[in-house]
Amino acid sequence: MNKDVLKRRKLPKESALYPKMSDGVCSAIRGIIKEAIDSGNNKIFIRTNLKRGLPLENINKVAGPFVEAWALEKFEEISDKVGNKYGLVNVEAGKRLDAFDMVLQFKLKDVEDYVSANVDSKATAEDILTSGKSPNITSFARIRNEYLDDPDYIFLVLSLKHKVFSEKADGNGITNGIMQVTAYHVYDIKYVSAKDLNYNQALGTGQMQIRDIHYVDEERKTAEQFIKMIDDKYIRSNGLIEELKKLPDRSVDLICTDPPYNLGKDYGNNIDWKQWHEYEQFTLDWLTESKRVLKNTGSIYVFMGVKFIPRLFLMLQELDFHFNGWITWHYTQGMGRTKGFSPRHEDILYFTKSGDYTFNLDDVRIPQKYFRERNNMKGANPGDVWEFSHVHYSNPERVDHPTQKPEALMKRIISASSNKGDIVLDPFVGSGTTCVVANFLDRKWIGFDINPEYIKMSENRIKKELNMLDSFDPREARTPKDLKKDNGQVKLIFRLK
């Protein structure tokens, strides 16, 4: 057996002093940062020769490295004081490719040896909603191997919140930019709760991410328990692609899915916030597998937000899918805006794998608006602008999922692009609506999700009998205008419906 396999099998056992060392170092760091803030030594100035100074937006863009450098300097100032009350004896800046920004060495009470802590400092803007959401911390393989090699390895995250503002300099009329550290939080990455730590597979061996760098819950864990936790996240995060790979070629008739839009939404055990190139690669990976499993007569419908849908459209074309429609789902309720128009729609891209595809128009017709001899009075094509209400939070059918889609909307897609007995796939099953409606329409279905709670939620919904859809297209209730009432046309129309 080679050494690599032995290394993977070794069970790390840290010393009994590890909790005391970790807690002692965190307490000292808190004290140093608190002292700097309380004494007013928490500002960084950008001095210019500009009367108006720099725009605050631009100051925010460069604040991160400055704030992190500020922290290093504060630690160096303390370590230069021999016998300081924090026991900080040495500070070293991290090298370019290190996982951390600095190494702090302490002499703690009741601990015989010096204690070294590797600290990764992260600056977050207090007035930017997405700041500090799911940043990459260190690679999965690196942190795992560090704990295998040394179970007493200490890796800390130091979160520093800051605000930026401008201030006139005395006497010369020049405006300076100011970055001010306002809050802090330091914690051992090994103690971060399972719900707050995620795995991002996009880069190399993958990156460990923290859902919100400044706000985490802590759970005491041993090095062995921590490694088991991140191993489990590694396995689950690779689950979608791996599960898709298990499906045979050309085995699915319809793919209908609502993937995360990369807007920072909280999906229970993960937040969908990736760098642009990471999200793009993630999308390409699952689309590539989706094309492989889709039958030549199959279709794919993908919901997407406005920021990424142009790139998604091009990706589907680059994968040689056939464009067949850009559907606008219009709804009457949504987020309000005071500057700009409130968003009231989502987009659905409709592509097929070939020019020979299933489309059952008669199954999705709606009543004609007017009676005309030339019109097909079985009903009209519903077009590519659909009105379905959201599943409102007060709706008794609403479940605990942030992006639940209406059943009637899914019914239209599944009815149009599949037949009874066909297989419908949803790689991002979420609240389970696709599978619920597919089951109701006598289709077979497959659903995947990274969150086991959503899988349970979907299974429970499928078990319940579906008697009434949670929404409808208001056009389905209309009666064609200009009907002649003396020749039985009304009865004919409703009989054909």
Side-chain angles (χ1 to χ4, degrees), residues 28 96 159 202 228 233 308 316 324 338 343 357 379 451:
R96 178 174 173 269
S159 171
K228 287 182 178 179
K233 289 182 177 291
F308 192 72
L316 286 161
N324 204 32
T338 57
Y357 54 90
N451 190 333

Side-chain angles (χ1 to χ4, degrees), residues 76-108:
E76 288 176 336
E77 290 174 359
I78 295 297
S79 69
D80 288 342
K81 300 175 183 177
V82 178
N84 64 80
K85 63 181 179 180
Y86 301 107
L88 180 58
V89 296
N90 190 43
V91 178
E92 293 182 13
K95 298 180 178 64
R96 178 174 173 269
L97 297 178
D98 285 343
F100 44 82
D101 296 307
M102 65 192 87
V103 180
L104 306 182
Q105 192 174 47
F106 292 85
K107 186 66 181 78
L108 302 176

Side-chain angles (χ1 to χ4, degrees), residues 457-484:
M457 180 190 300
S458 301
E459 290 173 343
N460 290 335
R461 288 186 67 196
I462 290 166
K463 290 175 183 177
K464 293 174 61 177
E465 185 177 358
L466 186 63
N467 296 315
M468 181 181 296
L469 301 180
D470 57 20
S471 59
F472 68 96
D473 182 341
R475 296 177 299 171
E476 293 175 0
R478 72 187 179 191
T479 300
K481 298 178 181 179
D482 298 340
L483 285 175
K484 299 177 182 178

Side-chain angles (χ1 to χ4, degrees), residues 141-181:
R142 176 180 285 183
I143 194 69
R144 190 180 190 278
N145 287 336
E146 291 288 0
Y147 283 116
L148 286 173
D149 290 336
D150 178 12
D152 286 332
Y153 178 78
I154 298 177
F155 188 97
L156 306 180
V157 176
L158 172 59
S159 171
L160 298 165
K161 275 195 176 293
H162 66 270
K163 64 180 180 180
V164 301
F165 56 95
S166 297
E167 190 174 82
K168 289 284 187 182
D170 292 338
N172 59 12
I174 300 300
T175 300
N176 294 323
I178 301 174
M179 295 163 279
Q180 182 176 10
V181 178

